[in-house]
Amino acid sequence: MMKYKKISLGLLITVVVTVVLGFTGPGDELLGKLVDQLYKWRALQPQEKVYLHLDKPYYAIGDDIWFKAYVTIGSKHQLSAFSDILNVDLIDENDSVKRSIKLPLSSGLAYGDFALPDTMQEGNYRIRAYTNWMRNAGEAYFFDKAITIVNGINNTVFTKTSYTYSNQNGKQKVNTVINYTDLSGMPYVGNEVSYRVELNGKTVFKGKGITNDKGNLDVAFINSTNNAAASGFIIANIKLADKKIVTKVVPIKAVSNKIDVQFFPESGNLVNGINSKVAFKAVGADGLGVNIKGNIVDGQNQVVTALGSAHLGMGVFDLKPESGKTYKAHIIYEDGSEGNFDLPKATDNAYVLSINNSKDDDLTVKILPGAGLLNSETPTDGLLLVAQSGGEIYYAGNSADGGKTFTSVIPKSKFPSGIVQFTLFSAKGEPLNERLVFIQNPDQLKLIVAGDKQKYGAREKVTISLNAKNKDNKPVIGSFSAAVTDLSKVPVDETAEESILSNILLSSDLKGYVEKPGYYFANDNAKTKADLDVLMLTQGYRRFEWKPLINDSFAPVVYQPEKTLAISGHLKTFGGKPVANGKITLFTTSGGTFILDTVSDAQGKFTFNNLIFRDSIKFVVQARTAKDRKNLEIELDNIAPQPAGKNKNAPDIQVNISDGLSPYLQNSKKLFSEQVKYGIGNHTILLKEVVIKDTRTVAVKHSANLNGPGNADQILTYKDLENMGNISLPIILQGRLLGVMFRGNVPYSTRGGGAMQVVIDGVYVDSDFLNTINTTDIASIEVLRTIGNTAIYGSRGGNGLLVITTKRGDEGSVYNRYAPGIVTYSPKGYYKAREFYSPQYDDPKTNTQMQDLRSTVYWRPNVITDKEGNASLSFFNADGKGTYRVVIEGIDADGNLGRQVYKYKVE
């Protein structure tokens, strides 16, 4: 047992602090219970985390998103073997899932990709990743990253929008300037623009205008939602000289310039007579930090201390409140306006848990009681201080019997890197105070990355060597991913870039939005460490709360860890009774004949386990009773997918998604043209003018079109939709349907008005139903937009219609409808990750005539170091000259994390 020296400081009393090992004292029974409960929690609900390493920070339509997944578990961040399947979603700015894939995990690792079709809409997207098991703890633990996807292929109109705010008759007024230019920056002058404003999903204003000599359009509207935190979009249609209509969707992140300032006394309480830290955070209506300055004044308006934000609206000051006094913060904003905020009231009957984290090697912890507690004659059984990380206790200290305070110096080496939660308990187990501390030990992997030359030429072969060692300078076998980008095409803000370190160690454990988490790891210096400590004082922790844990109130387990793909269900009679010993056959003819048999149990349940199949495969499930009767019902267990939910990183939404990306946009357009020239890639959009011929001659069987089959403004058949993989139907149709645009899976005619009516096999359905349709089941899609084709539908056709006909068996593949004892089923299978194409210029078969305009020059997700810690990468440069950036991230078997950035020149 380790004991610390007795101390005497002012009103402090003699204390004895012990560590977990050999812990004895007044709190040993409570500590034992805490240890037991944490062990039980870890055993019943082990916590997984997911991090995705992406090849780039932003993308363009026609690009590919490449990523490597790292799934860890526990406080030591070791690779998880708990789940064997990972879900990855691409979600648009309307919180609609556009792509969803399943990846098999091997020892917590997987890699995959998203191809971004050139029919996709530009905008703010996000990538989300999670295991089924993680759903038990809620979406807060999912990997969720905001990305922008821009359009440099066929985009002729670019916007830049600014907002100012005012008050009109007690209502929030938003004044907007939308600037319209082409790709070269030339303004659109004298162009008509019609627009509508949507807030919280409802249209609140419509208007028209003309762009001025600078290409600007003024839009002003009132927030009529009575919601000060409303957000939404401006959907604006600009008419070009060739009478073409271009629609731009501009995000509205905020409807006011209101700034909220919150104050956070260290460990929760301001206590009279005790000097303590008070952190603060100033946040704008858009969710981003705002710099402020000002003073703390008492009730007589006397200045007590000054304050000023140090980073992203956050800062800290010291305050020693006096009994009987109240305090306010007088704030001065960047625009010169002022505001006043009340500080929390101080008390005499509370503790201050003060931790000094400014030293490199040690934490200094002090427990200081208010005068009401210190002078009380009521005996106490002592205090217990516990520090845990990831559900494991790494330190415990208690006061002497009857003690009301203590102090301690704790080596940081006792803790793993990451967030440590310090909690002060009464002897009865009541949590009194809490303080988060971030530990940055020098235990990261040491990655040495080097090129075989100092400078290279275009298309020259490059060999990059990697050596990985742990904190003890011993070589490690680890799994890494490597991305090489051309910085002249893909500029990066390295101070704000998320990494495997910032995600797994920091943001994955914090509640709410964390602005620029990568900043705290980009430069390891005194300022970033101080700023990180202020973040710990202002940001909530979300792993668990002590009271439910102590009371054995564990959250119920609803979702089980996915180990394999499975198809399960129940057999029932038409009257709903279970059918035991029924014979169930599962088969498919996709890619060859596949047949499995099983038998239902006493409750009629059946399961086909350990299946391996790719996405988009259709199965047939056939059942018979033990007496070979087929008149029964098959009820499949179809686990509902995770809803998209609200974007927890909404403040990261970019109002001007193309701002600063001109080099990337121009390169994207050149790359697309070069690929079309040589017939490379699966492209739909052509840069040449397309002449639409009479489509009414197309034969459409079984159509419910009231005008008669084929009488439509445009027709797509199943042949137009072949080989589209698992892309959602709205994405496939975007750009293919003339005069139709999609927002949140809902089709709108560019003629204006509300959502188009969708008709499936004669049934009127909601407009967003399109996202649920399997593309392979469609025989034809008829677009009705003009009055000649919509009039027959009356009011239902006011905004146009999409008439969809599904397959009957005589168009393309067979579509099986339900029959007694038979169902068809298309579960989500494994996505087969593609291989990144890297041209080999030393191979005579390689096309050397085509320009090499790659922005991601190389991507390799499976870099494995050998027992000496070595690995190497070899690839050829593109044609771009300038600085190339190599980012390598990864993990070893012990959960040690590593990241290194290396740059080289191409001349």
Side-chain angles (χ1 to χ4, degrees), residues 11 269-276 319-325 327 346-350 352 368-372 374:
L11 297 177
N269 301 310
L270 272 178
V271 180
N272 289 317
I274 297 179
N275 189 69
S276 61
L319 180 66
K320 186 177 182 180
E322 297 180 25
S323 182
K325 287 190 175 183
Y327 300 88
T347 180
D348 291 326
N349 297 302
V352 171
L368 303 170
L374 189 64

Side-chain angles (χ1 to χ4, degrees), residues 300-542:
Q300 287 72 47
N301 210 33
Q302 296 297 308
V303 175
V304 178
T305 187
L307 65 85
S309 54
H311 176 65
L312 299 177
M314 294 179 288
V316 66
F317 58 87
D318 290 331
L319 180 66
K320 186 177 182 180
E322 297 180 25
S323 182
K325 287 190 175 183
T326 59
Y327 300 88
K328 288 186 176 182
H330 180 68
I331 303 299
I332 302 173
Y333 303 112
E334 288 184 305
D335 63 0
S337 60
E338 300 180 2
N340 292 290
F341 296 85
D342 293 329
L343 264 63
K345 291 183 179 180
T347 180
D348 291 326
N349 297 302
Y351 293 91
V352 171
L353 167 56
S354 175
I355 299 180
N356 185 343
N357 190 22
S358 61
K359 296 180 180 179
D360 291 335
D361 300 323
D362 301 311
L363 298 173
T364 301
V365 181
K366 295 180 181 179
I367 310 298
L368 303 170
L373 293 173
L374 189 64
N375 299 327
S376 173
E377 296 181 359
T378 303
T380 177
D381 294 328
L383 301 168
L384 173 66
L385 180 67
V386 171
Q388 70 83 25
S389 178
E392 294 190 44
I393 294 178
Y394 289 90
Y395 169 85
N398 68 339
S399 65
D401 191 10
K404 299 178 180 178
T405 183
F406 62 79
T407 190
S408 177
V409 176
I410 309 171
K412 292 183 179 180
S413 59
K414 289 186 176 295
F415 307 101
S417 288
I419 295 176
V420 178
Q421 178 190 31
F422 281 81
T423 307
L424 182 67
F425 292 92
S426 69
K428 296 180 180 179
E430 180 184 2
L432 303 175
N433 300 74
E434 188 170 285
R435 167 76 149 94
L436 300 184
V437 174
F438 193 87
I439 300 295
Q440 285 179 299
N441 285 321
D443 55 5
Q444 301 170 10
L445 293 178
K446 301 175 183 178
L447 305 183
I448 300 174
V449 181
D452 56 330
K453 294 175 61 176
Q454 294 294 320
K455 297 179 181 179
Y456 298 89
R459 302 197 180 191
E460 184 176 354
K461 188 173 184 178
V462 177
T463 299
I464 301 292
S465 63
L466 167 67
N467 179 260
K469 294 180 180 178
N470 61 20
K471 63 179 181 179
D472 299 319
N473 285 319
K474 294 182 179 179
V476 297
I477 298 174
S479 178
F480 300 87
S481 44
V484 183
T485 55
D486 180 350
L487 282 179
S488 67
K489 298 180 177 67
V490 191
V492 178
D493 180 3
E494 294 187 340
T495 63
E497 191 175 27
E498 190 174 28
S499 69
I500 193 171
L501 302 172
S502 66
N503 182 272
I504 291 182
L505 298 181
L506 180 65
S507 57
S508 61
D509 278 329
L510 292 179
K511 199 178 283 184
Y513 168 70
V514 181
E515 186 174 355
K516 296 184 178 180
Y519 158 81
Y520 304 101
F521 298 84
N523 293 295
D524 186 11
N525 54 44
K527 176 171 171 46
T528 56
K529 288 181 178 179
D531 292 340
L532 182 51
D533 196 51
V534 177
L535 178 70
M536 293 295 97
L537 292 167
T538 61
Q539 199 87 21
Y541 182 74
R542 66 164 177 255

Side-chain angles (χ1 to χ4, degrees), residues 87-155:
N87 303 282
V88 187
D89 300 328
L90 179 64
I91 304 172
D92 71 7
E93 58 194 0
N94 295 298
D95 297 322
S96 175
V97 177
K98 310 307 291 185
R99 294 283 307 278
S100 182
I101 60 176
K102 282 183 176 290
L103 296 172
L105 286 166
S106 177
S107 301
L109 302 171
Y111 49 89
D113 58 87
F114 286 120
L116 305 179
D118 49 32
T119 55
M120 198 170 190
Q121 281 186 299
E122 66 180 5
N124 288 279
Y125 289 76
R126 52 190 171 111
I127 292 183
R128 180 179 71 175
Y130 61 96
T131 65
N132 197 54
W133 175 256
M134 290 175 65
R135 298 172 71 180
N136 290 299
E139 292 185 37
Y141 294 108
F142 294 2
F143 175 87
D144 206 317
K145 179 180 175 61
I147 59 170
T148 57
I149 298 178
V150 295
N151 182 357
I153 295 176
N154 66 334
N155 195 0

